Amino acid sequence: MPAPATDPGGPVDQGEISALAGPSAAAPPSPSPSASGSGTADPSAAAAAAALSASPALDSPRMKEIAQQLVSSAENSSLDWQAQYKYIEDIQDGRGYTGGIIGFTSATNDMLQLVRHYQTLNPGNRLVRYLPALQQVDGTDSHEGLDPTFTEDWRAAAQDPAFQRAQDEERDRVYFTPAVRQAKADGLHALGQFAYYDALVMHGPGTGPRSFGGIRAAALAKALPPSQGGDETAYLTAFLNARRSVMAAAQHDTDRVDSVQAAFLRAGNLTLATPLRWTIHGDSYTIAR
């Protein structure tokens, strides 16, 4: 069952996509000069940056495929993330319809943006007629103007390579690329980059306490990221703890944090080196290489 795409605090704001957590989401400030006053950068931060550049980033082709498989295991109980282009249902979470490879929802603006983008790639497609209804129901769980044919047309549209491309590009624009960019700025390896991506998918961009920006801010209040000379494991522990608290408060299952990301962190697998083995929602998965 897919998790909601964004925090229920409101729709995806286009300014928030680029800023993520507001001004603080820009690349962290350079480490302070050493105590000697020589102006030399923190050597631990420099070492972290060197180690980061030497390992595969999440936006490399193979690592990106792994990221999609990890998300799909949590949201769709399958490693076959490409089979989810056609997915569409109301999971009764107050966000209307949830659909596609990343859980775009009719209540939180990203489904509306997706269909608009699809229109630019394939004008006159079978979902265009639902744009007025998607705009009307944005911010609500209403199906008005969508039923009874929207889900059938969505599944049919999923056979169109242009709709698949639209989903890929909106996933990257709103979630994947901003998350990886911020994680790299914070000096995080592939596991941390994935932790940011998965959090942004589920909680959405923004500065509120339940959003990705709020979760990151809570982590920064507890530990420094590697880019500021902090220990990566300690920082990621703080980030996952902050996210777990938000999920638990909303009565969400925390398995994707506890059984996947925290398990990899405990194993010291900061680079998401394969083979990867995990269990989530009672199902076991392996990515051999």
Side-chain angles (χ1 to χ4, degrees):
M1 187 72 67
T6 52
D7 185 273
V12 175
D13 180 271
Q14 300 309 301
E16 290 175 349
I17 290 170
S18 60
L20 282 185
S24 64
S30 300
S32 299
S34 63
S36 66
S38 64
T40 303
D42 186 335
S44 60
L52 180 62
S53 65
S55 63
L58 203 68
D59 51 5
S60 64
R62 178 57 186 145
M63 297 305 294
K64 187 173 184 179
E65 176 69 17
I66 288 173
Q68 306 321 312
Q69 291 177 307
L70 287 169
V71 169
S72 187
S73 74
E75 298 198 347
N76 302 99
S77 298
S78 170
L79 295 184
D80 188 2
W81 65 270
Q82 292 175 316
Q84 311 312 320
Y85 289 115
K86 65 180 182 296
Y87 171 79
I88 183 80
E89 71 172 316
D90 188 331
I91 60 175
Q92 302 300 314
D93 64 348
R95 304 180 194 192
Y97 281 118
T98 297
I101 58 172
I102 211 66
F104 303 99
T105 72
S106 58
T108 56
N109 193 255
D110 57 354
M111 184 175 284
L112 172 61
Q113 297 301 324
L114 168 64
V115 176
R116 283 176 173 167
H117 185 46
Y118 181 31
Q119 183 183 23
T120 68
L121 299 178
N122 182 9
N125 68 74
R126 67 194 308 146
L127 296 184
V128 169
R129 67 190 181 102
Y130 297 104
L131 280 171
L134 286 170
Q135 185 166 352
Q136 185 66 31
V137 304
D138 191 26
T140 78
D141 63 357
S142 173
H143 294 183
E144 186 174 355
L146 299 175
D147 291 342
T149 55
F150 179 62
T151 57
E152 178 183 349
D153 282 337
W154 178 286
R155 295 185 190 102
Q159 303 303 312
D160 180 2
F163 190 43
Q164 296 175 16
R165 175 184 167 190
Q167 290 195 38
D168 291 345
E169 291 179 349
E170 284 298 284
R171 172 203 61 204
D172 290 352
R173 182 182 71 87
V174 180
Y175 303 110
F176 186 80
T177 300
V180 173
R181 182 189 303 123
Q182 181 61 67
K184 287 181 178 180
D186 285 345
L188 304 179
H189 288 81
L191 175 58
Q193 293 166 28
F194 176 73
Y196 274 23
Y197 172 47
D198 192 63
L200 190 53
V201 165
M202 186 169 185
H203 303 283
T207 57
R210 296 177 298 170
S211 69
F212 170 81
I215 292 169
R216 177 173 173 269
L220 289 170
K222 297 289 186 179
L224 290 176
S227 61
Q228 297 182 41
D231 177 78
E232 185 166 7
T233 298
Y235 175 74
L236 282 179
T237 298
F239 182 83
L240 294 180
N241 286 344
R243 185 180 176 196
R244 185 184 294 108
S245 295
V246 169
M247 295 170 73
Q251 298 184 326
H252 290 154
D253 187 311
T254 61
D255 216 17
R256 65 200 294 157
V257 171
D258 298 331
S259 299
V260 184
Q261 296 165 49
F264 294 156
L265 183 61
R266 287 193 298 272
N269 193 354
L270 294 174
T271 63
L272 288 180
T274 54
L276 293 172
R277 297 182 178 88
W278 71 99
T279 299
I280 186 168
H281 308 319
D283 297 320
S284 297
Y285 301 93
T286 299
I287 298 176
R289 59 180 182 175

